[in-house]
Amino acid sequence: MADPALPAATGPTRTVVQADALEWLSRTPLDARHAVVASVPDYSELPGRAVEPWKAWFAHVMDRIFAAVHPDAPVVLYQSDVRHAGVWIDKGFLVQQAAERAGAALLLHRIVCRRPPGTITGGRATWSHLLLFSKRLRCSRRFTYADVLPDGGPRVWVRGLGLTTCEEIVRMIRQESACDTLVHLFAGKGLLLEVAREHGLHAIGVDISRRECLQAARFSLEKFRRARTTIRE
């Protein structure tokens, strides 16, 4: 897949790029139009990577993301805490450390339930952090948000963003910034890209996996919703 230029503001478009996220950031200038969303993989999703080296890598990724995003644009992070060797790894804390190094403020901190409240967990929390940061933006106070989303909505895969979560991410970006383009790093199967486009934003997804990129390029939100309705019925 070729790496196309960022789209001009002529209508909602979807662009899927097969590339390493950090390499793509290093060669793609982002301006105040571009909001960045990321759900950075944890050590269990990266074969052969031990926990401590993963923490250093995670911090490096966060630093690069905050450095790349324009001060007047938001960074949205969706991260689930994990447990290793009897100890919890709080990704929200790791993200907050990176934000402070970058001089970015936490504007919204929401909790998304991945499973019903009260569910007993194993190695991964049943909820996720949904965090919005910016260096210069501040919440408008004209809008209200639920601190806890009791259901993130149907997902394409078990660890992915749910449909309701995607809709909330797009809503936050549209209400709290002037961005017209959503950049999804580690984009996976493309649900967020299509939700963004449905709500009038250009959508750019970056993922290193060719298989994920092909699925994202072919993803149909209409078919996904129809399939979920059929399953529930």
Side-chain angles (χ1 to χ4, degrees):
M1 270 178 209
D3 185 359
L6 298 180
T10 56
T13 59
R14 174 179 60 180
T15 305
V16 178
V17 181
Q18 183 189 354
D20 176 88
L22 298 188
E23 291 181 1
W24 185 85
L25 282 177
S26 68
R27 55 186 166 83
T28 308
L30 302 179
D31 59 31
R33 298 181 298 120
H34 302 99
V36 171
V37 181
S39 182
V40 180
D42 62 50
Y43 73 94
S44 66
E45 300 172 84
L46 300 172
R49 193 181 293 275
V51 172
E52 291 307 317
W54 168 82
K55 285 183 180 179
W57 175 81
F58 187 93
H60 175 64
V61 172
M62 286 293 111
D63 289 343
R64 293 284 299 277
I65 290 174
F66 280 111
V69 177
H70 192 277
D72 293 321
V75 179
V76 180
L77 286 309
Y78 178 83
Q79 299 291 165
S80 303
D81 296 346
V82 292
R83 186 162 53 191
H84 173 73
V87 176
W88 279 103
I89 300 172
D90 186 342
K91 293 186 191 172
F93 172 68
L94 298 178
V95 171
Q96 182 65 57
Q97 285 183 313
E100 290 182 359
R101 290 193 297 270
L106 177 60
L107 308 188
L108 292 170
H109 186 175
R110 309 175 70 187
I111 297 298
V112 180
C113 294
R114 300 173 52 253
R115 294 184 184 178
T119 301
I120 297 175
T121 186
R124 180 178 294 271
T126 59
W127 53 273
S128 297
H129 301 274
L130 180 57
L131 310 167
L132 186 147
F133 295 90
S134 181
K135 292 177 182 175
R136 286 205 293 243
L137 291 176
R138 293 297 180 265
C139 281
S140 63
R141 298 186 180 181
R142 293 187 297 121
F143 306 102
T144 57
Y145 304 91
D147 290 331
V148 177
L149 298 179
D151 183 357
R155 292 167 284 177
V156 179
W157 76 294
V158 66
R159 295 184 184 177
L161 292 165
L163 179 58
T164 302
T165 307
C166 292
E167 291 169 343
E168 286 298 303
I169 289 173
V170 171
R171 182 167 79 94
M172 291 189 300
I173 290 171
R174 288 181 61 86
Q175 292 181 169
E176 302 298 341
S177 77
C179 295
D180 67 4
T181 301
L182 182 151
V183 177
H184 190 191
L185 306 177
F186 310 98
K189 302 180 188 300
L191 176 59
L192 178 58
L193 303 181
E194 280 301 276
V195 172
R197 189 167 67 154
E198 180 181 66
H199 288 82
L201 296 177
H202 298 298
I204 303 172
V206 184
D207 201 289
I208 199 169
S209 167
R210 178 172 176 78
R211 182 179 66 179
E212 298 288 89
C213 287
L214 288 172
Q215 291 182 3
R218 297 168 180 165
F219 184 81
S220 167
L221 189 53
E222 179 182 355
K223 290 181 180 179
F224 176 71
R225 285 184 170 134
R226 187 164 59 242
R228 299 304 303 186
T229 301
T230 302
I231 290 171
R232 288 175 178 174
E233 290 175 351

